[in-house]
Amino acid sequence: MKAKDVLILGLFFIIYLFFPSVNPTTDSWYYASCVKYGSDLFSPHHLLYNAFMYGLFYLLELTFIHVEALSFMQAINAVFAILCLFLFRSLLQIIGAGISQIRGCILIAGASFVFMRFATDNETYLLALLLSLVASYFFLSDQCKHRNGILFSGLLAALACLFHQIHFFWWMGFFITIIIYNKSLKALLQFSLPALIVPIAYYLVVKIQNDQSGTDAFIQFIFYEYFQGVSTSFSFEYLKLGAINFIRSFVQLHGHIFLIVRSNWLFALPAVLTLLFLFFGLSRKQIIKKKQTLNREHRFLFIILFILQLAFAVYSFGNAEFMVMIPFLLLLIMRSMFQLNWKSLYWIGAAMLIWNFSYAILPSNKMQLNADDFLAAEMKKNKTDLFIIQNSQRLENKMYYQLGIIPGNMLRSPFSYNERGKSLTDLQNIIEQSLDKGVNVFTNCLNVGALDRSLMLSAEINKAFFSNYKISKFDSTQVLNNSYFLFQISK
C-alpha cells in the first residue's frame, strides 16, 4: 500500500477506535452483558458472535489486562471495520479499478453512516460482513484461476451465516451465480458442501443448551426471531421505510441533528462544508465516464447480492441494520459497469465523512442522546414503584450490564405491548392493581422528542392509552437542551 492508502485507512481507524458510542444500542448492551457475565453465548440469529467475543475477552483477562467488556467489543469492531475496508480494496483491485478510484470508493464506503455506526459500537454485523468479503475475494480469485477459491469461498460464506443469519443471502448469491455461469457440478459441490457446518453447528448448540430435542426444537431455535413474531412484509409502509433507511445507509438523517445545531450554532458549519464538497463532487463533468467491459459473471454476482440483501432488509420492516453491506455492493456494481471519476468520488466521500462524523459519530461519542441514566437513577431510588418505559429493553440491558440484575419494576410501553401482539388490557390491569395498592406508577412514554422513527410510530398508541389517566410531571432532566420528563400516572 502507498502512503495515501495508509493515510485513508489510518484516518478511519482513528475515528472508529477513538470515538466509540457512549449511547450504545439495545443489542449492544445485551451482547456486552453476555460477554461480561458469560451468559447466553449462543443466540439463534447470530450464533457464534457472543461466544467468539467471550473467547477473545477471556484470553485478554488471562493476561491480567482488565477492560470493560463493552469497550473491548467496540474496539474489536473497529478492527473488523478496517479489515472490511482492506478486503473491499482487494475486491476493487480484482475487478480492475484504478488506484485513485479505489481510494475514492474506500472513502465513500468507510464514511457511510450505516458502516460508521457499527464500527463505533458493539453490534454483530461487521464480523459477518468481513467473512463475506473474504469469501467474495476467494470467489473472484477463483475466476482468475486461484486454486481452491470456490472451496474457501463456500467455507467462509457459510461461516458468515453463523455470525449473522442475514448472510445466508450472500451465500445464496454465490450459489445462484455458480449455477448460471459455471454450470459445473464439481464447482457447485465444492461451494455447497462446506455449508454443512451451519446445520451441524446449530444442532450441537441445540443439543448442548436446550432441554428439548427433535426436529421441532431444532427448527424453532434456528428461526427463533420469527417464531417470536418479528414483523415481515412487502407492504407500502415497509417499502417507504426501506427507502428512507437506504438513504440513511449513506448519510445520517435524524431529528437529533436539529437539536444539536440548536444547542450550538457552530454545528451548522459542517452542513455548509458538506454542501460545498457535494457541489464540487457532483458538478464535475463526466462523473460516470464510460462503460466497462468487465467479466459479466462478476457484475451479475454484485447485482444479485445487492438485490437479495436489500430485499430482505425491506421485508424485515425496512431494517436499517440489515443494510450494512449496501454501500459496498452498490459501489462494486457501479465500478463493474462504469469508469468513475475519481475526483468526484473524493469530494462526495469527504462530504459524507464530514456530515456523518459531525452529526452522528461525534455527538454519539461526546453527548448523552437519551435519558437512560436519569431513568435508571429514578428506578434505583424508587424501587417499590412501577415504571412503564419507552425503549424499556435498552434500559433493562444497560442496568443488567452495569448492576448484574434485571430490574423487576419496569414494564414495556403500550406501543411495545401492541407491537408484540400482547393485550393492552393486561397492561391496564397491572396499572390499576398497582394504583389500588398505593404503588406509584411512572412513565416516560409521553415525551415529545426529536424526529425519531420509534417515537413517531409509538406516539399515537401511547397517548391514546394514557388518555384514561391523570398525568402530572414528576421529575425532569435535559437531553440536548430539551426538557425530558418522567410523568406520574394516577386515576
Side-chain angles (χ1 to χ4, degrees):
M1 285 195 300
K2 294 186 178 180
K4 287 184 180 179
D5 302 277
V6 174
L7 183 63
I8 292 172
L9 291 176
L11 173 62
F12 279 125
F13 189 53
I14 289 170
I15 292 172
Y16 301 156
L17 187 62
F18 292 104
F19 292 87
S21 175
V22 297
N23 298 270
T25 62
T26 301
D27 289 340
S28 181
W29 284 116
Y30 169 68
Y31 305 143
S33 299
C34 293
V35 168
K36 182 177 181 178
Y37 300 115
S39 60
D40 294 334
L41 295 181
F42 298 100
S43 177
H45 208 37
H46 27 79
L47 189 72
L48 298 184
Y49 180 78
N50 286 341
F52 177 77
M53 284 292 198
Y54 178 75
L56 293 181
F57 186 69
Y58 183 71
L59 287 174
L60 189 66
E61 291 281 296
L62 289 178
T63 65
F64 302 103
I65 298 174
H66 301 292
V67 295
E68 280 289 323
L70 177 60
S71 298
F72 171 76
M73 296 169 81
Q74 287 177 324
I76 292 296
N77 271 286
V79 174
F80 292 154
I82 287 301
L83 292 175
C84 284
L85 293 180
F86 183 79
L87 260 297
F88 182 54
R89 178 179 181 275
S90 298
L91 290 177
L92 289 166
Q93 285 178 323
I94 288 177
I95 65 174
I99 188 63
S100 295
Q101 289 187 357
I102 290 173
R103 289 168 186 156
C105 288
I106 288 175
L107 193 56
I108 290 176
S112 296
F113 170 61
V114 70
F115 188 71
M116 292 188 86
R117 66 180 287 208
F118 294 134
T120 54
D121 207 345
N122 169 34
E123 289 274 6
T124 62
Y125 300 102
L126 292 192
L127 178 52
L129 175 60
L130 174 61
L131 290 168
S132 283
L133 288 172
V134 180
S136 300
Y137 174 80
F138 280 110
F139 190 88
L140 298 184
S141 296
D142 189 79
Q143 309 311 307
C144 302
K145 308 305 178 186
H146 187 288
R147 189 176 179 183
N148 294 324
I150 289 287
L151 180 65
F152 290 134
S153 178
L155 178 61
L156 289 160
L159 195 58
C161 297
L162 291 175
F163 282 94
H164 205 292
Q165 288 179 340
I166 58 170
H167 283 263
F168 165 77
F169 297 100
W170 201 300
W171 183 94
M172 182 58 69
F174 288 138
F175 187 81
I176 294 171
T177 303
I178 293 171
I179 290 176
I180 293 176
Y181 282 94
N182 198 294
K183 299 177 182 177
S184 163
L185 180 60
K186 179 183 176 182
L188 197 61
L189 288 174
Q190 276 187 315
F191 178 80
S192 302
L193 285 176
L196 290 173
I197 66 171
V198 176
I200 290 171
Y202 272 94
Y203 174 79
L204 290 174
V205 170
V206 171
K207 195 75 173 174
I208 292 169
Q209 73 176 23
N210 286 7
D211 295 332
Q212 296 178 332
S213 60
T215 304
D216 287 346
F218 181 66
I219 296 297
Q220 287 186 20
F221 181 75
I222 294 177
F223 299 106
Y224 175 82
E225 297 286 335
Y226 301 96
F227 281 110
Q228 292 299 306
V230 171
S231 184
T232 51
S233 169
F234 277 119
S235 67
F236 175 75
E237 183 67 26
Y238 281 46
L239 291 171
K240 182 174 73 173
L241 200 56
I244 293 170
N245 284 331
F246 177 82
I247 297 171
R248 290 187 73 235
S249 295
F250 296 90
V251 293
Q252 165 67 314
L253 299 172
H254 197 283
H256 283 148
I257 294 173
F258 299 104
L259 300 180
I260 290 168
V261 173
R262 197 173 69 181
S263 69
N264 188 335
W265 285 102
L266 286 176
F267 274 104
L269 292 178
V272 175
L273 280 176
T274 298
L275 291 174
L276 191 62
F277 280 30
L278 273 179
F279 173 78
F280 288 147
L282 297 177
S283 63
R284 303 192 72 84
K285 293 181 180 179
Q286 291 186 309
I287 296 176
I288 297 174
K289 289 187 175 182
K290 61 180 181 179
K291 291 185 178 181
Q292 289 287 98
T293 57
L294 185 73
N295 185 315
R296 286 184 1 184
E297 181 177 349
H298 294 174
R299 185 182 304 166
F300 175 84
L301 173 65
F302 301 145
I303 291 173
I304 194 66
L305 289 175
F306 179 84
I307 291 172
L308 289 172
Q309 296 284 183
L310 182 61
F312 185 71
V314 172
Y315 181 66
S316 302
F317 203 31
N319 195 328
E321 297 178 352
F322 289 1
M323 297 187 191
V324 64
M325 71 291 293
I326 291 303
F328 291 82
L329 292 174
L330 185 59
L331 286 166
L332 286 169
I333 290 172
M334 290 178 65
R335 180 56 190 82
S336 69
M337 297 177 71
F338 307 103
Q339 280 278 4
L340 304 173
N341 187 317
W342 62 269
K343 290 183 180 179
S344 291
L345 294 176
Y346 276 30
W347 284 114
I348 293 169
M352 290 170 57
L353 180 58
I354 292 169
W355 179 275
N356 290 328
F357 179 78
S358 301
Y359 298 123
I361 304 306
L362 186 62
S364 189
N365 174 258
K366 300 298 182 184
M367 304 176 182
Q368 284 295 332
L369 303 179
N370 57 55
D372 286 356
D373 288 338
F374 164 72
L375 295 171
E378 291 287 349
M379 291 179 64
K380 285 186 278 187
K381 195 164 54 178
N382 304 285
K383 294 181 181 178
T384 59
D385 297 328
L386 181 65
F387 292 79
I388 301 164
I389 300 295
Q390 184 81 3
N391 294 318
S392 59
Q393 193 64 56
R394 185 181 66 211
L395 184 57
E396 182 179 293
N397 291 346
K398 177 175 181 174
M399 293 182 72
Y400 177 63
Y401 175 81
Q402 293 177 334
L403 306 173
I405 57 171
I406 297 175
N409 59 336
M410 176 166 46
L411 294 176
R412 294 180 183 272
S413 68
F415 171 76
S416 186
Y417 260 73
N418 186 73
E419 188 181 39
R420 285 162 175 75
K422 296 181 179 180
S423 172
L424 287 176
T425 304
D426 294 341
L427 179 59
Q428 189 173 0
N429 289 337
I430 294 172
I431 293 174
E432 297 288 341
Q433 292 169 13
S434 298
L435 291 174
D436 289 341
K437 293 176 182 178
V439 175
N440 293 318
V441 180
F442 301 103
T443 186
N444 70 331
C445 295
L446 297 172
N447 280 288
V448 180
L451 296 173
D452 179 86
R453 181 176 68 90
S454 63
L455 285 177
M456 290 189 290
L457 290 172
S458 61
E460 188 175 336
I461 292 173
N462 289 341
K463 186 177 179 180
F465 178 85
F466 287 114
S467 64
N468 298 316
Y469 299 94
K470 292 180 181 178
I471 308 296
S472 58
K473 294 174 181 176
F474 176 76
D475 203 351
S476 67
T477 189
Q478 292 287 308
V479 177
L480 292 175
N481 291 335
N482 261 23
S483 295
Y484 186 97
F485 297 100
L486 183 65
F487 299 93
Q488 184 164 6
I489 309 300
S490 57
K491 292 184 179 180

